[in-house]
Amino acid sequence: MVLTIVLSSLLTTIAIVALGLTLVIGFAFKDKRRSWLMTYVQNFCGALFLFSGWVKAVDPLGTAYKMTDYFNEFQSTFEGTWFSFIAPMFPALASVSIWFSVGMIVFEIILGLMLIMGAKPKFTAWAFLLLVGFFTVLTGFTYLTGYVPQGANFFEFGKWAAFNENNMKVKDCGCFGDFIKLVPKTSFLKDVALMVPALYFLFRYKDMHQLFNKPVRTGLIGLSIVGLLIYCFSNYVWDIPHADFRPFKKGTDVRAVRQAEENAAAEVEITGWRLENKETKAELIVPNDEYMSNYTTKYKGVYSVKEQIKGEPSIKPTKISEFGLEDLRGNDLTDDILDNEQAHFLIINYELKGNPKRKTRMVKDSIFTVDTVTIFNPETKMEDVQLVKKFERVEDKEESYTDQNWDPDYIAIHKEKLKPFTDAAKAAGIPVLMAIGKSDPDAIKNFDETTGLGIDYAMADDILLKTIVRSNPGVTLWKDGKILDKWHIKKLPKFEKVKAEYIK
């Protein structure tokens, strides 16, 4: 409900902006041949693309992660079908998802600008149609997977069942980045609606208004492309996003929000039950009161429970609800982080960059023999039997081990940039913990030996860590469950500066 209100408010704002632009263009550039309808639709769609592109440009990595999710799901969907020859291209696309993300974001914003200026009408009309079509396929796939039961393939249409949002492979489309998390159905309907102006542009592109002359339009487009590329890179290569729409933004009281979300989830009432007839396999949804009142007489033994249907929580859960860390022995550290009243650093490393390979090597192995020796004990006046270990020889032995093959640049930034900071923090008595995703204790220990950091480590879900800070590694400063600040590794200040500002 809240998201619907936010989306409606956003679209209303864009509609008003488009109306203002239309009036300015209509009276400033008088042309009797101009279509007021076309001008308005150009401005509305252009403003929409400018905004939706900008909220993604703020966080290109977020869009890249979302595209990787799509590519992974497309790969698993096409494997084992008549279209299995398509499947291998998706891992390749996933490997360059960040470039795909930046390219798509820049293209979307430039297309919005071209619509408002009326640059290259025919090309713009086709480009808009193709991009909207691409978005429609993505959001449509996301939404329609809700009809595909677990264990069934998307293309097995005969197995489709009643819609279940838990079956959806990707939970949101990322159309507006993290600014608005639209449910897939809403995103899909939005893109279907955009096909109307897309077709209008295609068939009536000659009616498009054009602002300025051709050299000015071309110059503005060229400068915008360069500026947007620099802007996108600045939000992940050189620094964290300058605008943070994610739940773990600076100043967030993670402990309080987590508790509020847990309380809201616990208060959600069961409104119904999805049941399956044990004989016919037919499904039906029964209201909770009806189910509880007639359970023993009507449903027990006849139906099995497929799912509890619950109402919406008063507070929509975010990734903060999933916040959790474990030490290398599997002990929960979550409360230790959230309840620590002392300022402390949590370093985020959602992926250790290496290419681990199993290898073998020859090592020296000492061979011993064990003899049995009988010794008379004068105190007990009995003979004691003892085992005596005796060195015999050294042999060469082949052993298997994992070569982590760490990325040299990745290790260098830990040694040269991060280690001086953590050493200074430890010397000042400030706790330092590194949370690592997608790894194991042995690899983490090898990583610590290689970097020489000598700090404590924890393990966590890599997607959770990606949400906390868009840097690998990234540094966050916590106190009493709150995030005081966060830094990209390339923008990490000297410890003394951080201490002076936050650690009195």
Side-chain angles (χ1 to χ4, degrees), residues 4-5 18 34 44 47 62 64 81 86 90 124 126 145 161 168 199 213 253 325 330 353 403 412 416 446 456:
T4 303
I5 295 173
R34 177 174 292 109
F44 178 85
T81 69
I86 299 176
F90 294 111
T124 300
W126 275 104
T145 53
M168 290 189 295
L199 294 172
N213 56 39
D253 188 334
L325 296 90
K353 294 185 179 180
D403 182 358
E416 299 167 8
N446 184 277
D456 294 327

Side-chain angles (χ1 to χ4, degrees), residues 5-18 40 44:
I5 295 173
V6 174
L7 179 61
S8 300
S9 177
L10 172 63
L11 294 178
T12 300
T13 302
I14 291 175
I16 293 172
V17 170
Y40 180 78
F44 178 85

Side-chain angles (χ1 to χ4, degrees), residues 49-277:
F49 269 36
L50 286 176
F51 181 80
S52 63
W54 173 74
V55 293
K56 291 195 284 284
V58 166
D59 182 19
L61 273 179
T63 301
Y65 298 150
K66 184 62 60 179
M67 295 311 303
T68 298
D69 291 342
Y70 276 118
F71 293 145
N72 290 338
E73 292 304 329
F74 283 142
Q75 179 187 2
S76 61
T77 297
F78 284 105
E79 285 177 342
T81 69
W82 288 97
F83 305 100
S84 59
F85 63 91
I86 299 176
M89 79 175 184
F90 294 111
L93 289 173
S95 67
V96 293
S97 60
I98 183 58
W99 298 107
F100 192 96
S101 168
V102 171
M104 184 180 68
I105 290 168
V106 172
F107 181 61
E108 182 177 0
I109 296 175
I110 293 299
L111 188 54
L113 180 63
M114 292 177 70
L115 277 170
I116 292 175
M117 293 193 302
K120 297 185 179 296
K122 187 174 183 179
F123 170 83
T124 300
W126 275 104
F128 186 81
L129 176 67
L130 293 175
L131 189 57
V132 171
F134 173 71
F135 289 155
T136 304
V137 169
L138 292 184
T139 57
F141 171 79
T142 302
Y143 168 58
L144 293 175
T145 53
Y147 292 95
V148 184
Q150 296 294 328
N153 187 279
F154 183 85
F155 294 108
E156 295 178 308
F157 303 115
K159 295 183 179 180
W160 283 26
F163 181 81
N164 184 346
E165 66 175 348
N166 293 324
N167 291 335
M168 290 189 295
K169 304 304 182 183
V170 182
K171 299 302 182 183
D172 71 271
C173 68
C175 301
F176 293 99
D178 286 297
F179 181 76
I180 304 177
K181 293 282 191 178
L182 297 181
V183 296
K185 182 178 181 179
T186 302
S187 299
F188 178 54
L189 293 177
K190 169 184 69 67
D191 291 329
V192 169
L194 283 175
M195 290 299 294
V196 176
L199 294 172
Y200 178 49
F201 291 149
L202 186 64
F203 292 109
R204 304 290 298 181
Y205 67 87
K206 292 182 179 179
D207 293 340
M208 285 185 175
H209 69 251
Q210 289 188 302
L211 306 182
F212 319 116
N213 56 39
K214 185 175 180 180
V216 171
R217 291 194 298 267
T218 302
L220 288 174
I221 291 171
L223 289 173
S224 297
I225 291 174
V226 174
L228 286 168
L229 287 173
I230 294 173
Y231 179 70
C232 286
F233 292 149
S234 70
N235 284 320
Y236 81 95
V237 175
W238 308 309
D239 203 351
I240 58 177
H242 80 273
D244 195 347
F245 302 122
R246 299 183 306 281
F248 291 93
K249 54 180 167 290
K250 177 180 175 181
T252 300
D253 188 334
V254 176
R255 182 177 60 187
V257 173
R258 184 171 181 261
Q259 186 62 57
E261 291 181 358
E262 288 179 351
N263 292 342
E267 293 170 357
V268 172
E269 295 182 357
I270 299 174
T271 60
W273 300 77
R274 188 188 301 274
L275 307 177
E276 180 185 80
N277 189 292

Side-chain angles (χ1 to χ4, degrees), residues 185-402:
K185 182 178 181 179
T186 302
S187 299
F188 178 54
L189 293 177
K190 169 184 69 67
D191 291 329
V192 169
L194 283 175
M195 290 299 294
V196 176
L199 294 172
Y200 178 49
F201 291 149
L202 186 64
F203 292 109
R204 304 290 298 181
Y205 67 87
K206 292 182 179 179
D207 293 340
M208 285 185 175
H209 69 251
Q210 289 188 302
L211 306 182
F212 319 116
N213 56 39
K214 185 175 180 180
V216 171
R217 291 194 298 267
T218 302
L220 288 174
I221 291 171
L223 289 173
S224 297
I225 291 174
V226 174
L228 286 168
L229 287 173
I230 294 173
Y231 179 70
C232 286
F233 292 149
S234 70
N235 284 320
Y236 81 95
V237 175
W238 308 309
D239 203 351
I240 58 177
H242 80 273
D244 195 347
F245 302 122
R246 299 183 306 281
F248 291 93
K249 54 180 167 290
K250 177 180 175 181
T252 300
D253 188 334
V254 176
R255 182 177 60 187
V257 173
R258 184 171 181 261
Q259 186 62 57
E261 291 181 358
E262 288 179 351
N263 292 342
E267 293 170 357
V268 172
E269 295 182 357
I270 299 174
T271 60
W273 300 77
R274 188 188 301 274
L275 307 177
E276 180 185 80
N277 189 292
K278 292 183 177 181
E279 292 185 4
T280 65
K281 302 302 179 182
E283 291 189 6
L284 75 158
I285 296 176
V286 180
N288 184 56
D289 292 341
E290 157 70 14
Y291 180 74
M292 299 305 294
S293 300
N294 300 289
Y295 171 71
T296 55
T297 59
K298 188 174 180 180
Y299 301 108
K300 184 179 180 180
V302 181
Y303 293 90
S304 60
V305 176
K306 296 289 289 183
E307 179 191 9
Q308 286 182 342
I309 301 174
K310 298 182 178 181
E312 289 293 325
S314 57
I315 300 175
K316 190 172 180 62
T318 66
K319 272 293 179 181
I320 287 180
S321 292
E322 302 174 24
F323 182 76
L325 296 90
E326 294 181 347
D327 66 18
L328 302 190
R329 293 181 295 276
N331 300 312
D332 187 36
L333 296 177
T334 308
D335 290 338
D336 294 338
I337 297 295
L338 298 180
D339 296 336
N340 192 343
E341 296 180 357
Q342 178 187 4
H344 55 101
F345 292 102
L346 178 62
I347 302 170
I348 304 300
N349 234 326
Y350 53 77
E351 181 181 11
L352 297 182
K353 294 185 179 180
N355 184 22
K357 295 180 180 179
R358 294 295 294 174
K359 293 184 178 181
T360 58
R361 60 189 172 193
M362 301 303 295
V363 296
K364 298 294 184 182
D365 187 24
S366 298
I367 306 299
F368 294 85
T369 58
V370 179
D371 293 331
T372 303
V373 178
T374 303
I375 302 175
F376 178 77
N377 190 328
E379 294 181 2
T380 61
K381 296 182 179 181
M382 296 181 63
E383 292 183 341
D384 293 337
V385 177
Q386 296 183 1
L387 298 177
V388 178
K389 191 175 182 181
K390 180 181 178 182
F391 174 78
E392 184 173 297
R393 66 186 184 279
V394 175
E395 289 184 351
D396 289 333
K397 177 185 176 182
E398 185 178 77
E399 81 171 2
S400 177
Y401 72 101
T402 300

